[in-house]
Amino acid sequence: MPSLPHLRSTALLASCVLASLSAQTPATTTAHLAARVLPADGEPIDGALLVERGGKIVAIGPRASTAIPAGATVVDHGTAWLSPGFVDLHHHVSSGGGGDINDMVMPLNAELRTLDVVKPSEDAIARTVAGGVTTTLFIPGSGTNIGGFGVLLKMRPNGPLQQMVVRELGAMKVAQGFNPERGSGDLGAGRMGSSDLLHQLLERGAAYSKAWRDHREHGGAKPEFDASLEQLARVFDGQVPVLIHTAGLRDCIATARMFQDVWKVQMVLSHGCFDGWLGAEALAKRQTPLNLGPRMYEFDRYGRFQGMCQAYWDAGCHNLSINTDAPVVAAEELQVQAAMAVRLGLPYSAALQALTIQPARQIGIGDRTGSLAVGKDADFQVTAGDPLDPRHAPLAVYIEGTLVHRSGDVR
Amino acid sequence: MSMQHRSLAILLTLAAAVTAVAQDNRPIAFTNARLVPISGPVIDGGTLVVKNGKIEAIGKDTPVPPGARVIDASGKTILPGLVSAWSRAGLQPAQPRFEEPAGGRRRGGGMQMPQMGGGGGTQNRAATKVVDGLYAKQTVFGELLRLGVTSLALNPAGGGFPGLGAVLRPDGKTIEQLTGDDSAFVQVGMVRDGATKKLLKENFDKAKKLVEERKKPPEQPAPAAAAPAAPEKPAGDKPAEAKEPPKGDQPPKPEPKPEPKPEPKPEDKKEPPQGQAPAAPPAAAKKPEAPKDPNLEVLADLLEGKRRALVQIDCGADLLHWQTAVADDVKFPRVVVVPRHDNTAGTVDAVLDQLKAMQCSVLLSPDLATQPRSRMLVHPAKQLHDAGIEVGFVIGDQPQALRFLFFRLMELVRYGLPADVALRGVTLVPAKALGIDKRTGSLEVGKDADLLIFQGDPMQPTGQLEAVWLGGREVPQQP
Amino acid sequence: MLRLPVLLATTVALLATFELPAQGRGRRGQRPGGEAPPTAPTPEAKPAEATDTKPKQYLAIVGGDVYLGTGQRLSGATVLLADDKIEAVGHNLTLPEGTTVLDAKGKCVSPGFVAVQGFGMGSGRGAPYADSVNPFDPEIKQALAAGVTSFLAGSTGGGATPSGSNAVIKLHYGSVKGMVLQEDSVVGMSVPLSLADREKFEESVKKVKEYLQAIDDFPKKKAADANTKEPQLPPGSEKLVAVLQGKARLWVSLGGGGFNPFGGGRRGGAGRANDLDAIEQALDLARMLGRGVVLQKPISAWLVPDQIAATGSMVMMSPRDRTPSDPTDPDRTGSNLAAAALLAAAGVPVAVTCPGGMFGGAGVGTGGILGQDLNTPHLDAAFAVRGGLDNRKALRTLTLDAAKLLGVEARIGSLEPGKDADVLILEGDPLHYATFVTTAVVNGKVVYEKGKEPLYRHLAR
């Protein structure tokens, strides 16, 4: 059962630990020298310097014009490049290699959350970060219309969990089409029924959220507490986005209509595969945030490998990120996904952003990570060259300034 | 049973005989018709005279013979009857209507075509007659006829040498009436597997040897040649007579007995050697020679040009395999038949050069094909035609599909095939393939009056098949 | 824990100690015996054999950066092809009159990739392959677009005695005759063997060796004593004879092999984290035979590269297949990204293949996942580079070393005079993720051009 007290206490605990950690360790300053830095939301900087203090980037720029603060530890990465740690918004393997992410009895499970099944010692976490991925949205599967809430994690191998959690309710996972249709003969066997069930619950969630908001803002009688709607209410409070598994032309458009036009919540359309790209113009008009993958092409009626990312991009969908849907594609191969998108026509800079700043913004942490800029978390990776080239495994990965992976740590 | 019924039957028979006689004697003249002879230019406002079941005269200003029954064909187009060189009709017991015929795979959007039997052949059965497996009294023949198919082949199925194909008369009620020619052609099936290729190669080699033997003077080398031939030939290779089809009624006439002999090949004047060679029973009676293999005899006849063959391939790959299995010097009268477009193994336009080198006509599915793994259209018929290969069409034996035949032809024309080539491809070209072009396939004097009468133009959507004439008689539109 | 610098420091000459199989030295007019289909040479083949009368058709690929497949590279060189063979490779070649020239300036030139595993792609319906290959299979174009010009089709067998039925298929689009390079150049066995099976096998090896010796001695003995009987092949030992004669490579399945649990493989129950025992058994077979074997997808080969090299054995693997280590014995368990580099450094020929993930598989799919199947074989080599293998040498895992694993290195796998004219022109570095094949030549014929096929034509760069 969803126990909000428990949720709250975890959150409390997390903030306590973080506070105590930062209190205990005096902020050290480290200056990272690299041949090139790809900030992801700006032009590459050659001969660059990145200064980190207390887990944050405090300076970044060409060495010629950026001073190394006195007393800073200098780490010279030589000819290597620095780029932001990658962000994967569709990740299923932080609980034990892909298991324990679907609870299939009820069609709608807005009370569930993956926070409860994260396993910090899981090998997959170490491997994910070995692929340069520093942030993941660890979401439930698509076995039901609402699988639950995914937790947003920094991929620190072996935890502790409190240091990993960026947001306990990272996003609500909704699945529209291709998986959640139920075979049990009850409502929800088809898309009509699933939509109806979903609308009914969203209606309740919206009303519940509004009742509490009204109460907070205008006082009056306290609404009745409903544990099953507490998580869902955060969506309508605007605190948590919805990440929707959907694909194919019909369902992509239907999804954008339902969540953007009707319910007006923050949403991320995840997958968008098959012929979904045929609806790219309608999605571009709505500026729908897209999180594409794991499929990277459609073999179309003209016998072409139609690059999916490129098709969306060309139609004007520039709010675009790329996922692995790990374990479908190995979590550590997020880089390969972007490389394949480039192979099939996505511009390089768009591909790099699709692994960094775009997903960070889509999930609401664009001010914190996803690019290398002053004030942001020092989440970055060191590679021998192009970070999208599978020939380059990260030589080192830093999360909030802490070295969390070195080449060879994971075989 | 009852007296009344019997007398009624007699009356009906008499009536039929009388009308038949009346029709045979009285010429029929179609006047003011748009005549599409296939063998020559279209004649507008022409006259076609039919007498004794044959075309008596055709032309713009052909006079109407005195006493003729005149049919005013204003606004109508007359074509020769359709010839289907590819059918398996009647080889299975009648099926309930609307049921998918067994063995017929439905392919998206295309015509349903008979498939070759499963897998390749392992035995030379070239002398087996397909008509021996025919079930009579099936409605399909009448249906096909009413849709304009005035001649149709019956093809044995399978890889290698599955047997002798027949030409059927679709108005026949009994096996005998249906069978126009029980050994009209040799069916050869190319299947991409080791067994079939081995079978083709070995048997053509043996047949070549047999042809050489036939050329030798019969007296001296005969015993010497017979001796080694004896052990080589396992007598287990069953001649066609031994195989009885699962029919209820036994063949009432000894007609199938002189098996490959009754060769109504008008082209062949070499009667004596032909009569001698394949006639197994008399030869065996003459000397204590090793029994001849009728299957090989058929192939030897083929190589000597006394028979013709339909060679089935499914795709370009099959043709390339044919060339690795069958030597270039194995030449015989043949037509290549491609009943469906298999674009996963090369539609036949992929092997244009090889087809050209074979110097024969090609019968194709009357559809456009698609490029592999896409919906982009390709037009093998046009490509073959443009390359100078005579193209015909496999119109099959499925009434459902035949109803749309002319729409398919129109589509081919829309994509660039000349209309006259399309029409020739369903009449004269398949007639030639079956060796019946001397009597049907075009509107020419002396040929059977197998006619399709359309209201309007058959190559326009408004054209409508109004009547079918077979051998100078109108086919009743209700069975 | 292994670190990259260690790997790079231990670079050793990569020349394998492998004998070329005697039959593999085929040149024009002297094809390896196994190539002809069992249906015997077709009559047409005869005139074709008398090539001396026919003028050669020359095709030159000029000005590209030529990767020879051996690990070397020549910048701005020319590859000259004569009919279906490579005539010469080098700078300043004089082109014979009438040579067709393909300009490869600014591009890379590589031997066609050799996939050591594959299915579909026109390979037909099993033995005899030459009688059922489909030279118009659209998958051929797709594989050519990925750079694959040859692959092993069929089964590599398994069990306690050598078995399997397979063929090295060449993707000569549109030609039946050029498609089967060799049948059964690979036979398979699996380990672990029971003690009884091992003894039986040892006995068979002994018998076959005696038989082969007897055959060698037979002419002499026959001359001495006309009554000497011809040695008889021990029954059921054809495959083993082929192995011992060097006509076939023995591939050993290690009873499981690595997989990528994060790439889709399910970690079911007690997955093995170590297959050293199986590897040792396979090497034991190699020592018994006196010939190297091929280890199929080993997990732990990286722990014993020198032992593998000492037996002349080789490794087929996907660098992306991962087996987590056992926390109780982390240093001796689990796979290693650096395996290919470590093995190559020890002189072990390594061929890469597709990962065994959810969408891995050695075919050319059209399902939408890109980067795990034969549509992108270069990525598997790229992952060997990720593990520390030198970029140029990594190309060998798709070319010469792959050909060695199939026992056909005398015919394909490198750009050397006398070898088959299977050549790629690529837009750039063959192992870069965005590089496409612009032209593929098989048996001297241009069989794929990016600009003429719908697959990737729209991706103009």
Side-chain angles (χ1 to χ4, degrees):
Chain A
M1 287 309 292
S3 64
L4 257 289
H6 167 66
L7 175 73
R8 281 174 181 153
S9 67
T10 310
L12 197 64
L13 182 66
S15 47
C16 286
V17 170
L18 283 171
S20 62
L21 275 177
S22 45
Q24 277 168 10
T25 34
T28 56
T29 305
T30 309
H32 295 270
L33 304 175
R36 174 173 264 214
V37 169
L38 304 179
D41 58 355
E43 288 302 308
I45 307 162
D46 284 333
L49 169 67
L50 181 150
V51 181
E52 171 267 327
R53 185 185 303 130
K56 299 281 179 192
I57 296 167
V58 292
I60 184 167
R63 248 174 271 182
S65 56
T66 314
I68 299 177
T73 311
V74 176
V75 181
D76 190 347
H77 298 287
T79 58
W81 299 17
L82 303 191
S83 37
F86 296 149
V87 181
D88 188 353
L89 298 187
H90 206 124
H91 174 102
H92 293 299
V93 294
S94 290
S95 61
D100 205 10
I101 50 165
N102 275 305
D103 221 294
M104 305 275 283
V105 176
M106 311 293 283
L108 301 165
N109 301 285
E111 13 351 16
L112 307 187
R113 56 184 192 179
T114 56
L115 174 65
D116 301 326
V117 293
V118 177
K119 185 180 162 202
S121 63
E122 171 55 44
D123 201 40
I125 292 175
R127 284 182 190 276
T128 305
V129 77
V133 181
T134 51
T135 306
T136 62
L137 179 65
F138 168 41
I139 49 174
S142 51
T144 60
N145 282 128
I146 294 181
F149 280 70
V151 60
L152 194 57
L153 298 173
K154 288 273 179 89
M155 299 304 268
R156 293 175 187 263
N158 297 310
L161 181 59
Q162 291 84 347
Q163 281 194 37
M164 295 173 70
V165 174
V166 177
R167 200 166 66 218
E168 291 174 346
L169 302 182
M172 182 169 81
K173 169 74 184 293
V174 170
Q176 299 253 73
F178 293 104
N179 279 354
E181 286 85 353
R182 294 164 70 75
S184 54
D186 53 356
L187 193 61
R191 293 278 295 112
M192 287 192 295
S194 328
S195 291
D196 180 39
L197 290 173
L198 202 48
H199 273 299
Q200 286 182 30
L201 182 67
L202 294 175
E203 190 106 43
R204 285 175 58 211
Y208 185 74
S209 160
K210 184 172 185 303
W212 278 94
R213 198 165 51 245
D214 287 349
H215 169 69
R216 278 196 302 270
E217 286 167 12
H218 311 295
K222 205 174 181 181
E224 197 182 334
F225 178 80
D226 184 343
S228 68
L229 295 176
E230 269 297 304
Q231 293 194 146
L232 182 56
R234 302 290 87 77
V235 171
F236 290 97
D237 293 349
Q239 295 170 7
V240 178
V242 187
L243 184 119
I244 303 128
H245 150 117
T246 195
L249 172 58
R250 179 194 68 177
D251 292 353
C252 284
I253 305 265
T255 293
R257 210 160 44 213
M258 181 188 282
F259 290 91
Q260 288 188 293
D261 304 356
V262 177
W263 292 105
K264 297 183 172 64
V265 294
Q266 296 171 47
M267 66 158 278
V268 180
L269 190 160
S270 195
H271 296 318
C273 306
F274 308 120
D275 62 351
W277 59 275
L278 293 172
E281 276 181 35
L283 298 176
K285 238 181 259 168
R286 294 177 170 89
Q287 288 299 305
T288 309
L290 301 176
N291 173 243
L292 303 175
R295 285 179 174 76
M296 276 295 140
Y297 68 90
E298 196 207 8
F299 195 82
D300 73 5
R301 68 179 68 186
Y302 305 109
R304 298 179 302 180
F305 277 79
Q306 173 62 56
M308 191 174 62
C309 296
Q310 177 239 2
Y312 281 111
W313 181 266
D314 288 355
C317 294
H318 291 183
N319 187 348
L320 180 158
S321 64
I322 290 174
N323 66 42
T324 59
D325 196 4
V328 177
V329 168
E332 65 198 284
E333 294 187 8
L334 181 60
Q335 166 199 53
V336 179
Q337 291 287 85
M340 293 300 96
V342 173
R343 181 173 177 80
L344 296 179
L346 185 68
Y348 180 88
S349 61
L352 183 64
Q353 292 199 341
L355 298 194
T356 53
I357 188 63
Q358 290 287 12
R361 282 188 191 132
Q362 288 175 345
I363 209 67
I365 53 170
D367 55 343
R368 204 181 139 179
T369 189
S371 64
L372 302 181
V374 171
K376 285 188 145 184
D377 290 359
D379 299 343
F380 62 92
Q381 54 181 317
V382 185
T383 51
D386 177 3
L388 298 190
D389 191 331
R391 290 177 292 186
H392 301 147
L395 303 167
V397 181
Y398 293 82
I399 290 180
E400 291 161 21
T402 307
L403 181 65
V404 292
H405 171 79
R406 281 172 306 171
S407 169
D409 283 357
V410 174
R411 282 202 312 265
Chain B
M1 293 295 151
S2 75
M3 206 57 173
Q4 286 149 326
H5 279 154
R6 200 173 295 165
S7 52
L8 183 64
I10 291 167
L11 268 175
L12 282 173
T13 316
L14 275 174
V18 166
T19 40
V21 166
Q23 280 190 345
D24 278 352
N25 289 342
R26 202 173 146 206
I28 300 159
F30 296 92
T31 57
N32 306 316
R34 180 169 172 265
L35 301 169
V36 183
I38 301 297
S39 51
V42 172
I43 303 162
D44 280 311
T47 300
L48 176 76
V49 181
V50 173
K51 193 181 175 191
N52 294 329
K54 304 274 184 202
I55 296 171
E56 174 92 354
I58 178 170
K60 175 88 181 152
D61 304 311
T62 300
V64 175
R69 178 182 154 210
V70 176
I71 299 173
D72 181 7
S74 304
K76 301 192 199 294
T77 303
I78 302 183
L79 285 184
L82 302 174
V83 180
S84 174
W86 193 259
S87 114
R88 302 275 296 158
L91 287 172
Q92 276 151 4
Q95 301 227 345
R97 281 180 78 87
F98 307 122
E99 206 166 282
E100 184 89 349
R105 257 185 299 166
R106 190 176 286 283
R107 293 178 61 79
M111 288 183 79
Q112 214 171 303
M113 287 300 160
Q115 300 293 309
M116 243 181 326
T122 52
Q123 219 186 350
N124 178 3
R125 303 164 58 82
T128 308
K129 290 179 180 174
V130 69
V131 279
D132 290 345
L134 190 60
Y135 291 82
K137 294 174 184 150
Q138 298 215 37
T139 53
V140 62
F141 298 110
E143 276 183 81
L144 292 173
L145 180 57
R146 288 191 293 280
L147 288 163
V149 180
T150 52
S151 305
L152 85 153
L154 189 65
N155 305 65
F161 305 104
L164 288 169
V167 171
L168 302 186
R169 305 166 50 89
D171 60 341
K173 297 284 178 280
T174 65
I175 302 266
E176 290 69 37
Q177 289 171 354
L178 272 168
T179 307
D181 180 352
D182 66 354
S183 20
F185 57 91
V186 180
Q187 179 81 26
V188 184
M190 181 63 218
V191 175
R192 293 200 309 277
D193 64 31
T196 305
K197 288 177 74 175
K198 188 161 169 261
L199 183 79
L200 290 172
K201 186 181 155 38
E202 286 183 357
N203 283 283
F204 276 129
D205 284 350
K206 284 185 200 166
K208 266 198 276 187
K209 275 191 202 127
L210 186 55
V211 169
E212 289 309 307
E213 275 171 36
R214 285 181 183 182
K215 282 181 188 157
K216 289 175 193 164
E219 299 114 334
Q220 309 146 321
E232 192 185 317
K233 171 88 242 36
D237 237 358
K238 290 206 170 177
E241 303 102 302
K243 188 213 159 214
E244 270 313 320
K247 271 186 298 187
D249 53 332
Q250 283 291 98
K253 284 173 194 171
E255 195 185 304
K257 198 75 190 119
E259 203 203 310
K261 190 160 56 176
E263 277 294 17
K265 293 278 172 291
E267 303 100 314
D268 296 323
K269 295 294 166 241
K270 300 178 230 167
E271 285 300 318
Q274 186 203 346
Q276 183 191 34
K286 241 189 274 171
K287 318 177 197 175
E289 215 176 274
K292 292 191 173 183
D293 178 353
N295 299 301
L296 272 188
E297 298 291 331
V298 166
L299 295 189
D301 291 352
L302 184 63
L303 296 188
E304 286 181 347
K306 295 173 190 163
R307 292 179 186 270
R308 65 184 63 250
L310 295 190
V311 177
Q312 187 201 339
I313 60 173
D314 272 356
C315 51
D318 284 353
L319 191 71
L320 298 188
H321 278 281
W322 170 270
Q323 292 185 322
T324 65
V326 180
D328 284 344
D329 65 342
V330 175
K331 288 204 164 76
F332 51 89
R334 62 192 162 191
V335 164
V336 171
V337 182
V338 196
R340 64 193 182 97
H341 297 303
D342 179 359
N343 69 8
T344 64
T347 49
V348 287
D349 49 294
V351 289
L352 274 184
D353 291 342
Q354 290 87 344
L355 281 174
K356 247 177 161 168
M358 288 182 85
Q359 294 179 309
C360 62
S361 318
V362 178
L363 303 182
L364 295 171
S365 163
D367 290 311
L368 295 168
T370 53
Q371 281 174 9
R373 294 184 168 186
S374 83
R375 297 182 204 169
M376 311 292 278
L377 294 173
V378 281
H379 195 342
K382 177 172 160 47
Q383 293 198 43
L384 264 61
H385 173 72
D386 290 350
I389 297 167
E390 187 174 55
V391 180
F393 297 103
V394 173
I395 64 176
D397 58 9
Q398 302 291 314
Q400 301 286 37
L402 268 155
R403 287 196 180 94
F404 299 97
L405 175 65
F406 282 89
F407 291 99
R408 292 180 190 286
L409 298 181
M410 282 178 230
E411 192 187 26
L412 298 184
V413 171
R414 168 150 48 112
Y415 283 89
L417 189 72
D420 59 323
V421 174
L423 289 176
R424 193 182 169 87
V426 293
T427 53
L428 193 53
V429 176
K432 283 202 280 189
L434 299 178
I436 55 171
D437 53 313
K438 288 277 188 293
R439 68 164 180 82
T440 190
S442 61
L443 304 183
E444 288 179 85
V445 173
K447 285 197 178 185
D448 291 357
D450 297 343
L451 312 174
L452 307 186
I453 301 173
F454 283 83
Q455 175 64 48
D457 183 348
M459 295 300 271
Q460 294 292 330
T462 48
Q464 197 185 353
L465 181 62
E466 261 190 3
V468 178
W469 288 59
L470 179 70
R473 284 200 232 168
E474 183 168 1
V475 174
Q477 278 303 310
Q478 290 302 317
Chain C
M1 301 270 155
L2 278 144
R3 293 288 156 82
L4 292 183
V6 182
L7 303 181
L8 297 172
T10 53
T11 311
V12 167
L14 285 174
L15 281 175
T17 53
F18 238 80
E19 284 174 64
L20 298 185
Q23 50 78 30
R25 298 186 185 275
R27 294 288 298 265
R28 168 158 302 287
Q30 195 207 330
R31 295 282 169 81
E35 192 213 5
T39 44
T42 57
E44 304 106 298
K46 288 213 170 110
E49 213 87 314
T51 40
D52 298 345
T53 56
K54 225 166 102 189
K56 283 187 175 178
Q57 298 243 315
Y58 290 99
L59 179 69
I61 299 166
V62 177
D65 281 356
V66 180
Y67 290 71
L68 297 181
T70 56
Q72 294 155 278
R73 189 178 68 174
L74 304 176
S75 285
T78 294
V79 179
L80 178 62
L81 312 176
D83 292 335
D84 58 351
K85 295 288 171 187
I86 296 167
E87 179 88 358
V89 182
H91 295 102
N92 308 319
L93 297 182
T94 313
L95 302 184
E97 208 174 309
T99 301
T100 308
V101 173
L102 298 179
D103 184 13
K105 276 189 200 76
K107 293 181 176 155
C108 288
V109 178
S110 155
F113 299 159
V114 180
V116 291
Q117 275 187 316
F119 54 82
M121 298 180 277
S123 54
R125 304 164 180 147
Y129 286 86
D131 286 337
S132 69
V133 289
N134 174 5
F136 295 112
D137 190 331
E139 288 189 354
I140 293 179
K141 291 282 186 186
Q142 218 179 308
L144 290 168
V148 177
T149 56
S150 304
F151 74 100
L152 183 73
S155 125
T156 50
T161 53
S163 63
S165 171
N166 49 64
V168 179
I169 300 291
K170 293 187 72 170
L171 298 177
H172 190 156
Y173 189 86
S175 164
V176 164
K177 285 178 193 167
M179 275 192 73
V180 180
L181 194 159
Q182 194 171 325
E183 277 200 4
D184 293 332
S185 67
V186 167
V187 301
M189 273 180 76
S190 10
V191 294
L193 294 175
S194 71
L195 207 55
D197 281 340
R198 187 193 175 281
E199 274 174 17
K200 243 187 262 174
F201 184 70
E202 194 168 22
E203 187 62 28
S204 312
V205 170
K206 207 178 118 209
K207 276 191 191 150
V208 170
K209 280 185 174 170
E210 285 167 6
Y211 162 73
L212 294 174
Q213 186 61 49
I215 286 192
D216 280 352
D217 298 343
F218 179 63
K220 233 187 273 172
K221 285 190 178 166
K222 180 90 178 171
D225 175 3
N227 292 331
T228 310
K229 276 189 204 156
E230 203 173 333
Q232 292 300 304
L233 178 78
S237 60
E238 293 82 1
K239 297 265 181 202
L240 188 53
V241 168
V243 171
L244 282 166
Q245 284 181 325
K247 287 181 183 167
R249 289 268 192 270
L250 180 65
W251 282 34
V252 184
S253 156
L254 303 173
F259 60 82
N260 189 343
F262 318 106
R266 289 272 159 84
R267 225 188 321 180
R272 289 169 327 119
N274 167 320
D275 58 1
L276 279 173
D277 291 345
I279 290 171
E280 178 45 44
Q281 277 223 12
L283 299 182
D284 178 40
L285 297 182
R287 286 185 286 261
M288 225 185 267
L289 295 163
R291 288 177 176 278
V293 299
V294 174
L295 306 178
Q296 295 186 56
K297 294 202 162 189
I299 299 167
S300 313
W302 60 278
L303 285 163
V304 288
D306 293 330
Q307 286 94 314
I308 294 169
T311 62
S313 292
M314 303 178 266
V315 169
M316 180 269 264
M317 63 178 298
S318 166
R320 300 155 82 180
D321 279 346
R322 302 301 187 77
T323 303
S325 51
D326 179 343
T328 64
D329 185 13
D331 291 342
R332 305 273 303 164
T333 55
S335 57
N336 191 338
L337 180 60
L342 288 167
L343 290 161
V348 176
V350 176
V352 293
T353 185
C354 307
M358 205 178 272
F359 290 87
V364 281
T366 52
I369 303 276
L370 190 61
Q372 302 200 3
D373 60 11
L374 268 188
N375 284 308
T376 52
H378 65 304
L379 282 187
D380 300 302
F383 269 79
V385 176
R386 186 185 184 96
L389 191 59
D390 172 81
N391 193 52
R392 266 185 236 173
K393 285 173 186 156
L395 194 61
R396 289 177 57 131
T397 63
L398 286 174
T399 55
L400 190 57
D401 282 356
K404 276 183 190 166
L405 264 75
L406 301 180
V408 293
E409 70 273 24
R411 285 281 302 275
I412 56 173
S414 60
L415 300 180
E416 295 174 277
K419 283 199 170 187
D420 288 9
D422 300 350
V423 191
L424 308 176
I425 305 175
L426 302 119
E427 288 168 344
D429 181 347
L431 300 189
H432 189 272
Y433 56 87
T435 298
F436 279 107
V437 172
T438 57
T439 306
V441 176
V442 173
N443 293 335
K445 296 274 182 309
V446 174
V447 284
Y448 169 81
E449 287 173 89
K450 184 185 170 210
K452 290 190 178 168
E453 304 290 338
L455 298 164
Y456 301 112
R457 183 173 50 202
H458 56 294
L459 296 170
R461 288 203 216 294

